[in-house]
Amino acid sequence: MKTFNHFFALILLLSISAAAHAQLSAYDENAPVGWASIGRPCTGSNNENPVTVTSEEELRAAMQKCKGGKTSMTIYISGQFEVKEKLRYDKMQNCTIYGLPGSALINRSHNDNADYAGFFFCQNWENCIIRNVTLLGAGAYDISACDNIQLVESKNIWIDHCDIQDGVDGNLDAKTKSDNLTISWCKFAYYIKPWAKAGESDDHRCSSMWGSSDNRGDDEGYLNATFVNCWWHHGCGQRCPRIRFGKVHIANCLWENGTADDPAQYCIGIGHSSKLYVENGDFSHTVIKSGQDKMRGHNKYYLQDNKLYHLTIKGCIGEDDAQEKGAGYTGDFYNPYSDENYKLKVYPAAQVKDVVTNPETGAGATLDQDLLTTRGNDHYGEGTRIQGVSQQAPQVARIAYYSPSGARRQQPQRGLNIISYEMTDGSVVSHKVYR
């Protein structure tokens, strides 16, 4: 009976451990891979100074504490509440913003004052993380500088598992020397019919613009970014993304931004001085408007500038492999893997749709509470226990087998075995088991 109980306990512990990570895709590295980890590790707050916020006022107070790099802050958004004015807090450093399951920030404001639209205006942010956050904007309306998230002169930023909808000017933009950015497992969409403004575009459903102007020559060498396992869903008419200047790796992404009733203008925009490496993506589920000028490939990506750019497309569905340089570009083709410090694993494009659209483990705000923190290795920090956020009991992290004399074994042998369970909280539990 004792032997049976010990093995039953082992099975139970393993089951608990597996359940704790049931919401994590096998392809989700749960870490800021790619460009966000270049130069310095992107650790955010290291889960220090946790606080749960349930209103705009509480969120502003928590962000104020982190402004100017004064304090590392871990901010958990709980519930759904309205944000009436953009969250502009300059020089944020060492901050992590988590959205708890079911949470959302909502801003349905339409007016000509950009200060009252959008959400996070991130100027001079450094080493910051935004994860599992849902942003519900007001719908496309051609007003400058009121994106759901705008990165300005910001570095080492990781945006992961966010659901970003209906940005007024854009869903997620970056400009002005922002650098070392990773956008992973994010879902972008426009579900609200675009608003019209006299003298401006009547359909400004522009998801992500990288670089604000061809004339910003000082952006050369910046705007380097990784988009991995991202999903451009219905209504993203263009800029998925559109790139100027930066070295940008787009891997294992899915484009479903156009339909027969509402075709998109294009998927990826190849802009001035852009360096693009598009790998193992799936373009086969979108519909693009026909008869447009400056299109490339199978009407899926768009060429804005025909002189200074270079592009590699490799292993995608719906686009042939290609390498193309603008007439004015003389450098080598960008390949992210030429940098030994660049870390990213990709999988075949045939699996992208199933992986990215999985409602439990795919793109968007799909993380459970126990997955909001990183995996707990010494590079990315450990989990945090805070009031109001339920925590799982410690789970089995590793199992080791020993003989009665203490010799390490690969597996249990006949006779007496000592089985040691190393738990996720650092404790060790050992049992003697006869086999």
Side-chain angles (χ1 to χ4, degrees):
M1 180 64 69
K2 185 179 292 186
T3 302
F4 173 81
N5 286 340
H6 285 317
F7 276 111
F8 178 77
L10 171 61
I11 292 170
L12 179 62
L13 285 166
L14 290 175
S15 298
I16 293 172
S17 178
H21 293 283
Q23 292 295 104
L24 191 65
S25 169
Y27 301 106
D28 191 341
E29 297 184 59
N30 205 24
V33 295
W35 270 105
S37 62
I38 297 293
R40 61 168 292 184
C42 183
T43 58
S45 65
N46 261 326
N47 298 309
E48 297 176 356
N49 301 315
V51 61
T52 301
V53 300
T54 59
S55 68
E56 179 181 6
E57 292 74 21
E58 291 176 352
L59 176 56
R60 290 187 180 280
M63 293 181 69
Q64 180 68 32
K65 291 179 181 179
C66 200
K67 182 179 178 180
K70 293 178 290 187
T71 306
S72 298
M73 290 294 298
T74 306
I75 303 170
Y76 289 85
I77 297 170
S78 178
Q80 300 188 9
F81 55 87
E82 187 177 6
V83 173
K84 297 179 181 178
E85 187 175 348
K86 73 169 58 171
L87 299 157
R88 179 167 185 164
Y89 293 88
D90 297 349
K91 298 182 180 180
M92 297 267 288
Q93 295 181 26
N94 310 323
C95 179
T96 298
I97 301 174
Y98 291 126
L100 292 173
S103 66
L105 302 182
I106 304 166
N107 187 345
R108 300 301 195 189
S109 174
H110 271 100
N111 57 66
D112 289 339
N113 188 336
D115 288 337
Y116 293 95
F119 298 94
F120 295 106
F121 187 90
C122 313
Q123 183 153 2
N124 289 299
W125 284 30
E126 187 170 352
N127 186 34
C128 292
I129 295 171
I130 303 175
R131 300 190 73 191
N132 211 57
V133 172
T134 296
L135 302 176
L136 304 179
Y141 184 56
D142 195 359
I143 307 173
S144 178
C146 50
D147 309 302
N148 281 347
I149 300 177
Q150 184 171 95
L151 304 173
V152 183
E153 297 182 277
S154 294
K155 299 178 180 179
N156 286 95
I157 307 296
W158 180 31
I159 301 175
D160 176 67
H161 273 286
C162 290
D163 187 341
I164 306 176
Q165 303 178 20
D166 292 297
V168 173
D169 190 55
N171 279 324
L172 167 61
D173 286 8
K175 67 177 188 178
T176 319
K177 297 184 179 180
S178 291
D179 205 9
N180 298 93
L181 314 171
T182 293
I183 317 301
S184 57
W185 298 95
C186 286
K187 180 180 179 181
F188 305 98
Y190 279 90
Y191 298 126
I192 297 173
K193 183 179 179 180
W195 290 53
K197 180 184 178 185
E200 301 291 346
S201 168
D202 60 358
D203 187 358
H204 197 74
R205 293 177 294 175
C206 304
S207 196
S208 291
M209 180 177 70
W210 242 235
S212 58
S213 170
D214 292 356
N215 298 322
R216 286 299 306 256
D218 55 348
D219 274 345
E220 187 66 60
Y222 296 92
L223 296 168
N224 301 312
T226 300
F227 288 83
V228 59
N229 291 297
C230 290
W231 180 10
W232 284 274
H233 197 229
H234 179 73
C236 294
Q238 56 178 289
R239 301 181 186 175
C240 305
R242 168 184 163 184
I243 307 299
R244 291 183 174 98
F245 294 107
K247 298 183 181 74
V248 177
H249 185 194
I250 305 173
N252 288 143
C253 291
L254 173 67
W255 289 265
E256 286 188 321
N257 50 321
T259 65
D261 294 333
D262 186 16
Q265 291 179 271
Y266 63 85
C267 292
I268 300 172
I270 307 167
H272 178 73
S273 197
S274 58
K275 301 94 180 169
L276 287 165
Y277 192 92
V278 184
E279 183 178 18
N280 291 20
D282 189 346
F283 294 88
S284 66
H285 303 283
T286 190
V287 178
I288 305 298
K289 290 180 180 179
S290 61
Q292 299 183 92
D293 295 333
K294 300 182 180 180
M295 301 301 292
R296 289 291 188 273
H298 301 290
N299 265 3
K300 298 300 191 299
Y301 56 96
Y302 167 83
L303 178 66
Q304 180 198 9
D305 182 274
N306 62 0
K307 295 180 180 179
L308 296 175
Y309 75 93
H310 60 96
L311 165 75
T312 297
I313 292 186
K314 179 180 178 182
C316 294
I317 297 175
E319 287 295 347
D320 297 330
D321 287 2
Q323 278 198 320
E324 184 176 350
K325 282 185 182 181
Y329 191 85
T330 58
D332 295 331
F333 283 100
Y334 167 57
N335 185 333
Y337 303 111
S338 62
D339 184 341
E340 63 180 9
N341 297 312
Y342 189 91
K343 307 297 182 185
L344 184 68
K345 298 176 182 178
V346 298
Y347 53 90
Q351 300 176 36
V352 165
K353 181 173 173 60
D354 288 342
V355 170
V356 170
T357 64
N358 187 303
E360 295 183 345
T361 62
T366 59
L367 296 180
D368 279 349
Q369 290 178 184
D370 59 312
L371 295 173
L372 289 179
T373 55
T374 50
R375 283 181 174 168
N377 60 48
D378 56 7
H379 183 71
Y380 296 114
E382 297 183 354
T384 304
R385 297 175 182 270
I386 65 172
Q387 186 175 2
V389 179
S390 62
Q391 296 290 324
Q392 298 282 342
Q395 292 102 41
V396 175
R398 298 176 191 83
I399 302 174
Y401 306 100
Y402 298 91
S403 70
S405 64
R408 184 76 178 261
R409 291 173 170 174
Q410 293 298 315
Q411 58 187 6
Q413 305 294 316
R414 287 187 177 276
L416 179 63
N417 296 270
I418 298 173
I419 302 181
S420 177
Y421 310 108
E422 182 178 342
M423 311 303 287
T424 52
D425 64 355
S427 62
V428 176
V429 180
S430 298
H431 294 288
K432 294 180 180 179
V433 176
Y434 286 89
R435 184 181 182 191

